[in-house]
Amino acid sequence: MKIAVCVSHVPDTASKINIASNGKNIDQSGITYIINPYDEFAIEEALKTKEKHGGETVAISLGSDANKETLRKALAMGIDNAVLLKDDKYRDSLSVAKALAEEIKSQNAELVFFGKQSVDFDNSVVGQLTSELLGYNCISVVVSFSLDGNKIICEREIEGGKEVVETTLPAIITAQKGLNEPRYASLKGIMAAKKKEILEKPALEAENFVEVISMKKPPSKQAGRIIGNDVSAVPELVKILHEEAKVI
Amino acid sequence: MTKILAFIEQRNGQIKKSSFEVAKTAFDLSNKLNASVEAICFGNEINNLESVGGYGISKVTLLKNPLLENYSSHYLSLLVDFINQNNFDVIVFSATSLGKDLSPKVSAKLNCGLAIDCIDLQVTDDSIIATRPIYAGKALLDIKINSPKKVFSLRPNVFNAGIPNENKAEVNILNVELDSPKVKVIEVKKSEGKIDVAEADIIVSGGRGMKGPENFKMIEELAELLGGAVGASRAVVDAGWRPHSEQVGQTGKTVSPTLYFALGISGAIQHLAGMRSSKYIVAINKDKDAPIFQTADYGIVADVFEILPALIEEIKKIKQ
Ligand SMILES: Cc1cc2nc3c(=O)[nH]c(=O)nc-3n(C[C@H](O)[C@H](O)[C@H](O)COP(=O)(O)OP(=O)(O)OC[C@H]3O[C@@H](n4cnc5c(N)ncnc54)[C@H](O)[C@@H]3O)c2cc1C
Ligand SMILES: Nc1ncnc2c1ncn2[C@@H]1O[C@H](COP(=O)(O)O)[C@@H](O)[C@H]1O
């Protein structure tokens, strides 16, 4: 079985985000990029599935040359092959999904793992979009996964609990934290990944329906009011919450 | 004329609170766009479905079948058929776990643009400009959808549903026949009787400053007193003091309660990512330079073990 993983390349979550002078992008200075944290769970699950059921794994990333770093990370963790779908332009989620779907189809992958969300635009949609473009079954925000023959059983996180969901291959799964513990790349894996070739192709062109009008910083909150430094501040705090803010 | 459809979500036959926010927001949009608006709901027996009328929706269709009580791939196929048959242009969801799964699938089927987890929708020159947080809330993005059809999902607890009036919606019931869905929920495991942080109106969160799992008893007590939920920072979840389902932040849940208590939480950027859109934030921390005080509305700089018991007592007084 061919198992694919889609990985995105995103600013480190600790990065300070500033807006570029055009008001439509972030200022790239001082930003370091990493593999999207949720995609590490996706990679781990792909590797575990291959170890259990056999098959071949491929990591796919759409973006600029810089995304190769993230693909190397996937290879170093143990993914067999990597494909870069090259595009330097802004793309909306559906247009990303169309290019990924095209590649997944040409790879003949029956099972595809995504992260639940890219921590850049925080959309959490590309897995679901891709599944519908391919006509694959899809379960999102998955915290446990099992495959038995053709049958898949997952648990997905919902408000106040979990849903146990059943489906069949071909399928797309989007990984939530808790699904597994991603392995560290071994030194051997890192060395081997350096030698492996990353297949590059132009990403399928697709129209953008979503236009960025502007990007801005959230309105800065006024620094809070320190009510006091000891227990004597408590009645005052409760009074404010009760009478002024009227929230309790 | 533009036609707007509000997606009303139920669990166990009860309409979700965030769906009233969807109903009201869809109605407001219909006024601004000079559009018509109606609603759709999937399920079997729904309690008080006509109540969406109080938020401005005059007609709601219930697609009815016991198989629709839980989420399944039938939702997508039925909804897309309904949208196409009735030519809806704008579809509004709540960004719940169900809405976040379903809304992108609808947009892929309709081949249209999508704005997910919006915190504001403004109408200018007959276009809808959606605002959504990006980079874990460190920036905001204004976007416009240029395809003829448009899908939006609204972050729960952010849009104000207001106070409903007495109007009742006309409920149009369509009994549907269904075979077994390709993707189906076979069991719902509820976390025992507690309110989920993602849905709570008041959250009392504890961090590493709580020193140990046993001290969360006080946090539980305060949360219960206020009818709220317990939240946690990642540090305490990683330490095994609290379950991951309570984690607030970038790799936990995004919450927008009316009131958020951060007790012994430093206010790391990844924690703020999950709670900064709370209406009121109260921080108790012994370090006056803790970053949480930059985001909090009210703070007390002191030992949480000194403050928390007094706070519980003081709140008990007003609750009596
Ligand atoms: C990729 C990534 C994702 C992350 N995701 C999340 C996430 O989803 N959620 C999250 O919360 N974190 C997340 N983190 C971790 C985050 O960076 C912080 O490490 C974490 O939030 C710290 O938790 P804390 O505030 O409980 O602990 P600390 O930072 O250790 O803060 C403890 C605070 O308690 C105060 N304190 C100590 N004793 C007392 C006392 N007796 N009385 C009063 N105050 C006291 C201290 O002054 C201090 O400010 C993530 C990190 C990374 C790298
Ligand atoms: N440019 C991309 N290349 C490959 N995979 C992507 C890309 N963007 C998003 N994904 C995948 O889709 C998931 C959800 O991303 P998003 O919907 O953008 O939050 C990510 O965790 C990745 O698995």
Side-chain angles (χ1 to χ4, degrees):
Chain A
M1 178 173 55
K2 185 72 141 310
I3 305 167
V5 201
C6 293
V7 289
S8 60
H9 191 62
V10 297
D12 186 336
T13 55
S15 304
K16 222 174 137 50
I17 298 293
N18 289 310
I19 311 297
S21 53
N22 70 1
K24 292 196 175 192
N25 299 95
I26 58 166
D27 181 352
Q28 295 293 335
S29 58
I31 304 243
T32 44
Y33 278 78
I34 56 166
I35 182 167
N36 181 38
Y38 293 104
D39 300 351
E40 294 190 49
F41 303 115
I43 293 172
E44 177 63 33
E45 207 58 26
L47 294 172
K48 275 170 70 178
T49 307
K50 177 187 155 175
E51 282 157 10
K52 209 160 159 201
H53 300 274
E56 195 187 340
T57 52
V58 59
I60 306 168
S61 190
L62 182 153
S64 67
D65 276 330
N67 290 39
K68 284 185 186 166
E69 198 187 318
T70 273
L71 287 168
R72 292 242 181 262
K73 163 102 193 194
L75 292 170
M77 283 174 76
I79 295 290
D80 299 314
N81 297 302
V83 181
L84 174 67
L85 302 175
K86 268 206 75 169
D87 194 356
D88 297 328
K89 299 186 301 291
Y90 158 78
R91 279 189 177 239
D92 69 13
S93 302
L94 187 56
S95 128
V96 170
K98 284 175 180 168
L100 294 176
E102 173 82 4
E103 181 60 23
I104 291 164
K105 210 183 323 168
S106 82
Q107 293 272 349
N108 243 322
E110 263 186 288
L111 176 60
V112 192
F113 291 99
F114 285 71
K116 125 181 139 156
Q117 176 173 343
S118 274
V119 303
D120 46 12
F121 275 22
D122 294 329
N123 277 306
S124 60
V125 301
V126 172
Q128 296 92 304
L129 290 168
T130 309
S131 74
E132 286 316 314
L133 297 170
L134 289 166
Y136 282 22
N137 297 323
C138 170
I139 307 176
S140 62
V141 198
V142 165
V143 290
S144 92
F145 170 83
S146 75
L147 175 68
D148 184 4
N150 196 30
K151 195 169 124 186
I152 292 170
I153 295 191
C154 288
E155 286 185 345
R156 71 182 295 260
E157 243 179 42
I158 59 165
E159 296 83 2
K162 286 173 190 164
E163 282 172 342
V164 184
V165 191
E166 188 185 274
T167 194
T168 51
L169 290 173
I172 282 181
I173 303 297
T174 84
Q176 163 70 320
K177 183 185 175 188
L179 176 60
N180 52 43
E181 276 299 324
R183 66 195 65 186
Y184 289 101
S186 64
L187 191 60
K188 203 172 129 220
I190 295 169
M191 298 311 287
K194 281 195 181 140
K195 290 194 203 106
K196 275 196 187 155
E197 198 179 331
I198 292 175
L199 181 66
E200 276 183 51
K201 16 172 134 167
L204 177 86
E205 289 294 334
E207 190 183 352
N208 283 329
F209 295 132
V210 177
E211 179 187 338
V212 171
I213 304 291
S214 70
M215 206 183 270
K216 56 193 179 214
K217 294 286 270 187
S220 57
K221 258 186 126 157
Q222 286 192 4
R225 188 163 131 206
I226 301 295
I227 294 169
N229 298 304
D230 56 30
V231 71
S232 68
V234 170
E236 171 74 3
L237 172 67
V238 172
K239 189 164 174 246
I240 292 171
L241 295 178
H242 186 52
E243 291 172 12
E244 274 179 44
K246 294 193 169 62
V247 288
I248 59 173
Chain B
M1 185 166 73
T2 304
K3 291 180 78 178
I4 302 174
L5 182 65
F7 183 85
I8 304 298
E9 193 182 327
Q10 57 84 25
R11 271 224 181 248
N12 303 318
Q14 300 294 331
I15 300 173
K16 287 202 141 195
K17 181 172 155 264
S18 60
S19 289
F20 295 125
E21 298 161 12
V22 168
K24 177 66 163 56
T25 306
F27 173 68
D28 289 346
L29 276 181
S30 75
N31 282 335
K32 290 181 192 149
L33 292 169
N34 210 354
S36 69
V37 60
E38 55 185 272
I40 188 166
C41 181
F42 291 64
N44 196 34
E45 298 298 335
I46 314 289
N47 184 30
N48 212 3
L49 187 53
E50 59 278 9
S51 65
V52 295
Y55 300 90
I57 305 278
S58 51
K59 183 180 164 198
V60 53
T61 302
L62 171 64
L63 295 196
K64 190 166 184 244
N65 186 308
L67 274 180
L68 295 174
E69 283 177 344
N70 278 328
Y71 185 43
S72 72
S73 47
H74 284 319
Y75 274 54
L76 176 65
S77 44
L78 290 169
L79 183 56
V80 169
D81 285 348
F82 188 79
I83 293 166
N84 284 333
Q85 281 158 13
N86 297 284
N87 286 312
F88 287 102
D89 310 281
V90 174
I91 304 99
V92 188
F93 294 85
S94 179
T96 56
S97 60
L98 190 156
K100 279 176 140 175
D101 188 81
L102 180 59
S103 59
K105 292 176 179 172
V106 169
S107 98
K109 282 278 187 245
L110 299 175
N111 191 31
C112 75
L114 157 76
I116 199 144
D117 210 18
C118 302
I119 57 165
D120 192 25
L121 297 180
Q122 293 288 337
V123 175
T124 32
D125 304 332
D126 287 336
S127 309
I128 304 170
I129 306 293
T131 304
R132 44 183 315 275
I134 54 172
Y135 297 99
K138 287 184 252 180
L140 298 175
L141 188 67
D142 281 353
I143 51 180
K144 187 173 133 199
I145 299 176
N146 291 324
S147 50
K149 291 193 192 295
K150 302 166 175 64
V151 173
F152 298 91
S153 75
L154 314 181
R155 179 174 286 192
N157 265 331
V158 173
F159 291 79
N160 190 355
I163 297 161
N165 60 31
E166 294 293 297
N167 292 350
K168 302 259 177 278
E170 170 201 339
V171 179
N172 173 27
I173 297 176
L174 291 181
N175 288 297
V176 286
E177 298 212 354
L178 298 169
D179 46 16
S180 183
K182 292 199 298 184
V183 185
K184 75 169 176 210
V185 173
I186 51 177
E187 190 191 343
V188 179
K189 294 184 177 171
K190 278 201 69 171
S191 331
E192 265 329 300
K194 286 181 292 181
I195 309 176
D196 190 73
V197 277
E199 300 205 298
D201 208 35
I202 296 184
I203 297 172
V204 187
S205 278
R208 194 162 14 214
M210 290 305 297
K211 300 281 189 278
E214 63 287 357
N215 298 324
F216 274 77
K217 281 221 174 61
M218 281 189 284
I219 293 204
E220 282 171 357
E221 188 183 348
L222 180 56
E224 201 180 307
L225 196 57
L226 295 168
V230 176
S233 72
R234 171 162 161 186
V236 312
V237 171
D238 284 354
W241 301 355
R242 302 301 298 181
H244 180 249
S245 59
E246 290 178 2
Q247 184 179 318
V248 171
Q250 182 149 1
T251 40
K253 293 194 172 127
T254 303
V255 299
S256 308
T258 311
L259 178 58
Y260 189 91
F261 285 93
L263 308 177
I265 291 178
S266 59
I269 189 92
Q270 296 94 347
H271 189 80
L272 299 180
M275 45 63 81
R276 71 196 314 159
S277 60
S278 308
K279 212 159 274 160
Y280 290 97
I281 298 169
V282 175
I284 299 171
N285 195 305
K286 66 178 182 187
D287 173 9
K288 70 170 183 3
D289 296 321
I292 190 73
F293 287 123
Q294 300 299 315
T295 306
D297 299 276
Y298 305 109
I300 299 180
V301 182
D303 189 328
V304 65
F305 295 105
E306 192 188 320
I307 301 301
L308 197 45
L311 186 59
I312 292 172
E313 284 318 307
E314 196 65 28
I315 290 175
K316 271 188 187 155
K317 280 191 217 159
I318 62 161
K319 289 279 169 187
Q320 269 160 16

